[in-house]
Amino acid sequence: MRQFIKDWTLPIAMITGALTHQWVSRLSFLTPSLLFVMLLLTFCKISFKDIRFHPAQAWLLLIQLAGSIGLYYLILPFDPVIAQAAMLCLLMPTATAAAVITGMLGGNVGFLTTYVLFCNVAVAVAAPVYFSLTGMHGEITFMQSVWYICRKVFPILILPLFVAIALRYGMPKAHKALLGIPKMAFYLWVAALTVVTGTTVNFMLNRDSPDYRIETGLFVTSLILCCLQFAAGRRIGKHYGDPVSSGQGLGQKNTILGIWMAQTYLHPLTALAPAGYILWQNILNARQLYKKGKKRDN
């Protein structure tokens, strides 16, 4: 029974959030704290002496940073909401759980863990500027908008890194204690997924005039960009002899952070894109794990 619940955690969390959306949506204020602690636990596992920058990581960052803003302006003349969603699907940093899947697929866990660090720092710098360019905060100037978003994003993406460093070198016992609860990040992830799903469903059900054309477009956009990013990452990684690590680094996203960003800084409907991305990336991961297991059995 325990194994069944673990295997079906993703749909259980999402279904729970959807069914209890009226109540769990009231807990949306907890999402930033949950994200902070999840990243803190991830960064505590990183040995900063072993951090090495790899050329493949530069290409992955280039696709995320240049590709996201480029795609936004490419789609903007046709539909601003889908343009924001496309930007978000590329800009979202790599999921902290990607290292686990990478290890199961035979990739380089050290490469992926290092990229999670670089990626979060890069997104923390780029996101305030990119979100301000969308003009969602038209009542204030561009620089005021950048500063406003910086104050919200930096504590979630950057502060956990400094806290992890301080704990490692200043409070080793506390650092060791955090490493002693490896499953905590998993439980926090489940809680955060439940809350953001409930918040998204609550918003959809309480809209005055639903637009199913845009909603369908958002789900299709997330599907296309999910497949393209996994494929592009693997293509880059293949050139350097490790397609798995680069594929997971570019394709597997921190969708909970993406949903929170959408609900906080972009058009609320754009949250449907990272919500759909959750489904697509897990289908692709399940397919990869199935093929890996079948190859091992043979």
Side-chain angles (χ1 to χ4, degrees):
M1 184 63 180
R2 182 180 299 178
Q3 186 61 40
F4 173 83
I5 294 175
K6 186 175 181 180
D7 292 341
W8 290 87
T9 296
L10 172 69
I12 290 173
M14 297 182 72
I15 292 172
T16 301
L19 294 177
T20 61
H21 63 91
Q22 291 180 316
W23 298 280
V24 299
S25 60
R26 300 173 185 174
L27 301 176
S28 59
F29 67 93
L30 293 175
T31 305
S33 300
L34 294 172
L35 289 167
F36 175 93
V37 178
M38 282 190 288
L39 283 175
L40 173 61
L41 293 172
T42 299
F43 291 149
C44 280
K45 298 176 183 178
I46 298 176
S47 176
F48 297 97
K49 294 180 180 179
D50 298 332
I51 292 178
R52 296 289 186 275
F53 190 77
H54 193 280
Q57 294 168 343
W59 288 108
L60 300 183
L61 284 174
L62 180 63
I63 291 175
Q64 281 193 255
L65 300 180
S68 56
I69 194 64
L71 194 58
Y72 169 74
Y73 281 112
L74 183 66
I75 301 175
L76 183 60
F78 304 98
D79 193 301
V81 176
I82 293 181
Q84 290 181 20
M87 175 181 68
L88 188 60
C89 284
L90 264 78
L91 187 61
M92 287 186 294
T94 306
T96 57
V100 178
I101 302 297
T102 299
M104 295 172 68
L105 292 173
N108 187 333
V109 176
F111 172 97
L112 201 286
T113 305
T114 302
Y115 185 70
V116 169
L117 172 61
F118 292 148
C119 186
N120 275 275
V121 173
V123 171
V125 175
V129 178
Y130 288 7
F131 294 164
S132 297
L133 290 172
T134 65
M136 290 299 291
H137 299 90
E139 70 281 359
I140 58 178
T141 67
F142 173 76
M143 290 308 300
Q144 287 174 328
S145 178
V146 171
W147 173 242
Y148 170 79
I149 299 174
C150 278
R151 288 187 302 166
K152 301 288 186 178
V153 172
F154 268 59
I156 294 176
L157 296 182
I158 301 298
L159 189 56
L161 173 61
F162 290 113
V163 173
I165 294 173
L167 290 176
R168 176 180 289 272
Y169 298 106
M171 303 176 65
K173 290 185 178 179
H175 181 264
K176 185 177 181 180
L178 289 178
L179 292 178
I181 47 174
K183 294 183 179 180
M184 180 58 66
F186 173 76
Y187 296 128
L188 292 173
W189 174 76
V190 172
L193 181 59
T194 303
V195 171
V196 296
T197 300
T199 304
T200 303
V201 170
N202 193 62
F203 167 76
M204 291 177 60
L205 295 179
N206 288 285
R207 286 195 303 133
D208 295 330
S209 53
D211 190 337
Y212 297 111
R213 179 189 63 85
I214 293 181
E215 293 170 2
T216 302
L218 291 170
F219 281 115
V220 172
T221 298
S222 65
L223 171 60
I224 294 173
L225 291 178
C226 180
C227 294
L228 286 177
Q229 288 184 94
F230 271 99
R234 291 186 67 89
R235 184 71 177 267
I236 291 170
K238 188 176 182 180
H239 178 75
Y240 293 99
D242 187 5
V244 171
S245 304
S246 293
Q248 296 305 125
L250 187 60
Q252 190 169 345
K253 302 290 190 177
N254 188 341
T255 48
I256 295 175
L257 177 65
I259 293 174
W260 174 77
M261 285 179 164
Q263 293 169 345
T264 307
Y265 305 113
L266 302 175
H267 191 291
L269 263 182
T270 57
L272 295 180
Y277 203 105
I278 296 174
L279 177 63
W280 311 134
Q281 74 176 8
N282 279 279
I283 289 175
L284 288 176
N285 280 335
R287 180 174 177 271
Q288 290 183 102
L289 290 171
Y290 172 76
K291 291 176 66 177
K292 180 71 175 180
K294 192 173 181 180
K295 184 183 296 185
R296 184 174 58 248
D297 293 340
N298 293 335

